[in-house]
Amino acid sequence: MKFTLAAATAILATVASAKNCKNVTIPITASARNGVFNATIPTTEIEITDLILNLAQQGANYSAATLTGYETVTGNFDIAATYCEPDAGQSSALQILTHGIGFDRSYWDLPFNNYNYSYVNEAVDQYGFSTFSYDRLGIGQSSHGNPLTQIQAYLEVNALYQLTKKLEAGSIPGIPGGFEVVSHAGHSFGSQHTYLLTAMYPNISKCISLTGFSQNGSFVADFEFAANLVQANTVSALSSYPDGYFANANMQSVQYDFFSPGDFDPNILTYAYMNGQPVTIGELLTIGGEIAVPNTFPGAVHIVTGGRDVPYCGGNCLAAPTGYPNIPSTSKKYFTDASVFNVTIIPGAGHGLNLEYDHPTTYASVLNFLLQNGCGPSGSTTNSTSTGSYGGSGSTSTGSSWPSSK
Ligand SMILES: *[C@@H]1O[C@H](CO)[C@@H](O)[C@H](O)[C@H]1NC(C)=O
Ligand SMILES: *[C@@H]1O[C@H](CO)[C@@H](O)[C@H](O)[C@H]1NC(C)=O
Ligand SMILES: *[C@@H]1O[C@H](CO)[C@@H](O)[C@H](O)[C@H]1NC(C)=O
Ligand SMILES: *[C@@H]1O[C@H](CO)[C@@H](O)[C@H](O)[C@H]1NC(C)=O
Ligand SMILES: *[C@@H]1O[C@H](CO)[C@@H](O)[C@H](O)[C@H]1NC(C)=O
Ligand SMILES: *[C@@H]1O[C@H](CO)[C@@H](O)[C@H](O)[C@H]1NC(C)=O
Ligand SMILES: *[C@@H]1O[C@H](CO)[C@@H](O)[C@H](O)[C@H]1NC(C)=O
Ligand SMILES: *[C@@H]1O[C@H](CO)[C@@H](O)[C@H](O)[C@H]1NC(C)=O
C-alpha cells in the first residue's frame, strides 16, 4: 500500500504542476510612427561606446538632438510566442506578458533550477490563469528587423497591440479565444510598452502589472554605462543578429544591471549572461520618450519594483522626491484615471526580479493584486497563504507601498 500511496502522490504532484504550453509563430503587420534619427549604426566597439557616451550625457538629450522627424514604418514580421493554460483547460483570465531588455520570453518561465523560478508555473498552476508570453519584436525567435529604423519602442508597442487584438478575437491558430478578462504584465522595457499600450488604448486591458518600473528617467544612464555593450554578433549565442543589436560584454555587466547584493544564486547570474538577449540602437534612442506621455487607463495599476533597482531608482527606490514614499509612486501623477493605484517595493531585490531569491514575494504580490482587483480567473479568491508579504522579505516597511483608490 505504501507503494500505491507513493505512486499516487507522485502522479498528483506531476499533474498538479503540469501546465500545458504551446509554442506558436504569429505573422503580424505592424505599423507605427517611428522616429527618424540622424545617426548611423555603429560598426566598431568604439562607435558603440561613443553612442552610449552621447545617450548617457547628463543635461543633454541625444534622442532629441538627433531626431530629424517621424515616418510611418510598416512591416510584416513573425512573433514567436508561448501560450500556457492550466491542466484543467483554458482559464477565463488571460495575462499577456512582455519581457524587458536583456531577456526573451523565457524571463517569465525560466528553465533554470527545474523551473523553480517560473512566474508562469505560479500563475497557471497555483492561480489558474492562462498566459501568453512572446519574444518582443526584434528579439529572440521573433523577426530581427532593422535595429535603427524599425526596432523602436512605438513599433514594438504596435506589435503588442496587434497581438492583444488577435488574442481577444481568438484568431491565433492554436490559442483559444473568449477570455473574460485580459490583463497585461511587463518587466522593465516590457512595462514601458505596457504603459504606452494603455496610454494609447486605455480600454485594451483591465489590470496592468508594471514590474521593474518607474517613470523617473534620471537613472537610465547608470544602466547604459553598466551594461558595457558590445556588438551582439560578437557573442557566440547571438551571432545571427546584424550590427546595431548590442549585448552585455560580460557577466559583471549583467550583475550591475539586474542583480542586487545577496539576493541571487551565482549560477543564475551565469545563466542570465549565457542566455542574454540584445538591445537595439533604435530602442536606446526611444526608451525615454514612451513613458513621458499621460495615461488615462481606467483600470487597476500595480507597480512592483525592487528596492535596489538601478535603471529606475538608481539603486534606492526609497530615496524619493519630497511628498512621495518611493520613486515609482511618482507615477501616480501620470495615471489620472486609474481605479486603483498600488506600488509595492520588494526591499532587497534588484531590477531582475524574476531571477532573484525574492521572486516568490514578487509573484505573490503581482498575482494577488490581480485577484483582488477582478482580474483573476472566475471564482478565484486571494491566496492568503501564499509566500511573501507585500512589504517584501521580512519587512512591511512603512512607506514601501503606497495604495490609493479613487
Ligand atoms: C517553446 O520554445 C522554447 C524555445 O525554443 C523551448 O525552450 C520550449 O521547450 C518550447 N516549448 C514547447 C511547449 O514546445
Ligand atoms: C547629422 O549629423 C551630422 C554629424 O553629426 C551633422 O554634420 C549634420 O548636419 C546632421 N544632419 C542633420 C540633417 O541634422
Ligand atoms: C475601446 O476604445 C476604442 C477606441 O480607442 C473604441 O473603438 C472601442 O469601441 C472601445 N471598446 C470598448 C469595449 O469600449
Ligand atoms: C528626449 O527627447 C525625446 C524626443 O524629443 C523625448 O521624447 C524625451 O522625452 C526626451 N527625454 C527626456 C528625458 O527629456
Ligand atoms: C528621480 O528621483 C530622484 C531621487 O528622488 C530625484 O532627485 C529626481 O529629480 C527624479 N528625476 C525625475 C526626472 O523625476
Ligand atoms: C526554489 O527557490 C526558492 C527561493 O529561491 C528556494 O527557497 C527553494 O528552496 C527552491 N526550491 C527548489 C526545489 O529548488
Ligand atoms: C497592494 O496590493 C496588494 C495586492 O492586492 C494588497 O494586498 C496590498 O494591501 C496593497 N498594498 C497596500 C499597502 O495596501
Ligand atoms: C497558495 O499559495 C501556496 C504557496 O505558494 C500554494 O502552495 C498553494 O497551492 C496556493 N493555493 C492557491 C489556491 O492558489
Side-chain angles (χ1 to χ4, degrees), residues 20-23 81-82 105 111 115 141:
N20 284 323
C21 297
K22 183 182 291 184
N23 284 340
T82 303
R105 68 191 190 275
Y115 292 90
Q141 296 174 346

Side-chain angles (χ1 to χ4, degrees), residues 145-392:
N146 181 294
L148 176 58
T149 60
Q150 290 183 319
I151 309 304
Q152 299 183 7
Y154 274 74
L155 192 65
E156 291 181 32
V157 170
N158 184 258
L160 173 55
Y161 171 77
Q162 305 290 342
L163 294 169
T164 304
K165 285 305 194 187
K166 284 178 189 293
L167 287 161
E168 276 175 6
S171 64
I172 301 174
I175 302 182
F179 293 100
E180 287 166 29
V181 183
V182 174
S183 59
H184 290 78
H187 172 243
S188 190
F189 198 43
S191 294
Q192 295 200 186
H193 286 6
T194 301
Y195 179 89
L196 181 59
L197 177 78
T198 52
M200 294 176 81
Y201 310 100
N203 64 10
I204 201 163
S205 197
K206 194 162 175 210
C207 290
I208 56 175
S209 308
L210 307 175
T211 76
F213 179 82
S214 82
Q215 276 163 276
N216 184 319
S218 297
F219 310 110
V220 179
D222 294 359
F223 180 83
E224 291 171 338
F225 283 134
N228 197 0
L229 295 172
V230 296
Q231 211 72 262
N233 53 35
T234 63
V235 177
S236 62
L238 305 175
S239 59
S240 70
Y241 286 95
D243 281 0
Y245 283 77
F246 313 131
N248 293 104
N250 55 38
M251 222 185 289
Q252 285 65 46
S253 55
V254 175
Q255 185 183 344
Y256 278 122
D257 279 342
F258 297 105
F259 292 91
S260 59
D263 201 24
F264 66 97
D265 177 345
N267 292 324
I268 207 170
L269 172 60
T270 308
Y271 178 91
Y273 172 65
M274 298 302 286
N275 293 279
Q277 289 290 330
V279 59
T280 71
I281 177 175
E283 292 176 331
L284 292 170
L285 285 163
T286 54
I287 200 165
E290 74 170 335
I291 50 171
V293 297
N295 192 317
T296 58
F297 176 62
V301 176
H302 193 199
I303 300 178
V304 182
T305 301
R308 300 209 52 169
D309 186 294
V310 167
Y312 292 98
C313 291
N316 187 356
C317 285
L318 299 184
T322 309
Y324 294 94
N326 53 62
I327 290 173
S329 67
T330 59
S331 286
K332 176 123 177 79
K333 61 175 183 260
Y334 287 87
F335 283 108
T336 51
D337 293 8
S339 60
V340 177
F341 179 82
N342 178 318
V343 174
T344 302
I345 301 297
I346 312 293
H351 185 54
L353 290 160
N354 290 13
L355 284 73
E356 296 201 286
Y357 287 142
D358 270 323
H359 65 271
T361 310
T362 302
Y363 299 166
S365 175
V366 169
L367 293 164
N368 285 334
F369 181 86
L370 294 176
L371 262 51
Q372 284 167 4
N373 290 283
C375 288
S378 54
S380 61
T381 51
T382 311
N383 186 347
S384 56
T385 63
S386 197
T387 332
S389 66
Y390 299 102

